[in-house]
Amino acid sequence: MTLDRDAFYIDGQWAAPATSATLQVVSPHSEQVVATVPEGSAADVDAAVAAARRAFDEGPWPRMSPEERIEVVQAFSGLYAGKVAEMADLITTEMGAPTSFSNLAQSPAPWMQIEAFLGIARAFPWEETRPGVLGPEVIVRREPVGVVAAIPPWNVPQFTTISKVVPALLAGNTVVVKPAPETPLDTYLMAELLEEAGVPAGVVNIVAAGREVGEHLVAHPGIDKVAFTGSTAAGRKIAAVCGEQLKRVSLELGGKSAAIVLDDADLAATMEGLKFVALMNSGQACVAQTRILASRANYDAVVGALAETVSGMVVGDPADPATEIGPMVARRQQERVEKYIALGQEEGARVVVGGNGMPDGLDRGWYVRPTVFADVDNRMRIAQEEIFGPVLSVIAYDDVDDAVRIANDSDYGLAGTVWTGDPDAGLDVARRVRAGTYGVNTYTMDFAAPFGGFKASGIGREFGPEGLAQYTELKAIYPTAPAM
Ligand code: NAD
């Protein structure tokens, strides 16, 4: 079956592209082209925004009751549930996530998000009446923002698309999605499911394209809000444009999270946990715990255990269920990670596992060797900059206060973890680290709770009622004149 496509999803139609430009989706494992799809141009984005604008200004969607919209999204959820496995395969094919990760986070997790948002929307105070100060009552309404530009990255493409599209829809917005050029395929399947669920024409429009067309979408006068996940560098540019135009904006950006290993941690259980939280998605995860903080007393033990764990991980074909670390998404990303591995050595850090070169037994594909650096100073670039690959830095601390200081000594503030035998000590550390999500002996994202970043990791939150609220404007209505 071919994965090729020749159209965009615009105004409820499979619309012919404005130009003949194409994007090639290349397998990071085989380096072979697996699909060709149209590449969006500014003219395609203009058509998508016009359709979304019409659907918002004149169409039924924003005027339907929340209950009516919930019914349509519920139908979408039912259809999505039946396609979870197909979606996971598609994402492994297009960006090389190990299938074990895709079948956990790339596809079931977005479906869980849809279900969570449905529950949140059912309980959401769309319109409430409060006692007033001047008059007897005030009505507070939550109305849609308008036309939303949803811009996801390639690393968790459905996870970050659904986290925008579904709350936007439930709140009555219309959407233009611009998938990353590496990962357009999953959004075609999503479009088919939205259409089958009965989402009206023009409510969701999808045009895959690169950065320049993304910039055109962000600056487009027809857009009311930008919901972006991606690098901090791109987030800053987008925020600047939105600031100038006073558009609403939410940004989920990069991270350099610290895992603090306290001396009383069960080292074997900690290593088992770190395999996932530090190296999920082959290290291509914004929340990856890439700085491992160990006390000076326990340092050698932690480095030794981590070296043993990482050197035992299965690297290879992402389609193989046994694979724990797959290829990088693109040659560009492989080269970026290799540059950081070389830089770490130049900075004086010590490679204890990995280093540059292809992993054993592989002679093609965009692989890197999972790498652990010891003797890392937190001021080194490998400890401060997001590498976005399977590269970990072990940093020594003097005491718990010093560990918290080092964890906070970062431009980022996305996530963090602490590993300890004492849950109260863990909670104490969790309260002191400046990050948007924090795990004690675990890292997870519960879709009932807000997710997002402090500092340069972003603005705003996804998930939970807070994530739904980001797609609403507040309106106060005074239904009666105050008694003067
Ligand atoms: P990227 O910033 O290069 O691109 C992200 C998306 O934005 C792509 O669709 C791209 O085409 C588009 N884009 C880039 N510049 C743009 C601009 N100026 N205007 C409009 N659109 C633009 O990021 P990436 O390499 O695709 O993704 C990796 C980054 O995403 C990492 O920094 C990672 O930490 C971050 N990320 C964050 C989260 C989170 O929730 N905080 C989740 C996943 C990924």
Side-chain angles (χ1 to χ4, degrees), residues 413-425:
L414 190 58
T417 56
V418 58
W419 304 81
T420 173
D422 178 349
D424 287 336

Side-chain angles (χ1 to χ4, degrees), residues 74-246:
Q74 184 70 68
F76 171 60
S77 182
L79 295 166
Y80 204 104
K83 295 287 182 182
V84 158
E86 188 181 328
M87 192 66 96
D89 282 353
L90 214 44
I91 295 172
T92 286
T93 302
E94 63 186 349
M95 58 68 67
T99 187
S100 55
F101 181 75
S102 287
N103 280 289
L104 182 72
Q106 294 284 21
S107 180
W111 175 73
M112 288 166 70
Q113 287 181 33
I114 306 171
E115 285 292 306
F117 273 125
L118 280 164
I120 289 162
R122 287 193 188 96
F124 200 66
W126 297 106
E127 184 166 311
E128 57 177 310
T129 304
R130 298 180 188 168
V133 173
L134 299 178
E137 60 184 29
V138 183
I139 298 169
V140 176
R141 275 171 61 77
R142 284 150 182 96
E143 299 189 355
V145 178
V147 178
V148 174
I151 305 183
W154 49 262
N155 69 321
V156 275
Q158 270 296 291
F159 193 100
T160 51
T161 300
I162 290 293
S163 67
K164 298 165 181 54
V165 169
V166 167
L169 290 183
L170 288 166
N173 301 274
T174 63
V175 189
V176 176
V177 186
K178 189 212 71 66
E182 295 85 356
T183 48
L185 302 180
D186 56 282
T187 51
Y188 280 95
L189 178 55
M190 182 186 79
E192 288 168 2
L193 302 177
L194 287 165
E195 187 174 37
E196 199 180 336
V199 173
V203 172
V204 178
N205 308 273
I206 305 176
V207 175
R211 196 197 49 190
E212 277 179 29
V213 173
E215 288 173 3
H216 179 74
L217 174 62
V218 167
H220 200 295
I223 295 295
D224 298 302
K225 172 188 164 89
V226 178
F228 173 79
T229 300
S231 60
T232 292
R236 285 186 206 282
K237 287 190 193 159
I238 289 169
V241 173
C242 291
E244 180 64 33
Q245 300 182 352
L246 289 180

Side-chain angles (χ1 to χ4, degrees), residues 363-381:
D363 56 8
R364 69 182 155 93
W366 298 319
Y367 290 91
V368 297
R369 293 165 73 192
T371 296
V372 176
F373 277 112
D375 304 340
V376 178
D377 183 285
N378 194 53
R379 288 278 100 208
M380 291 179 183
R381 283 181 59 194

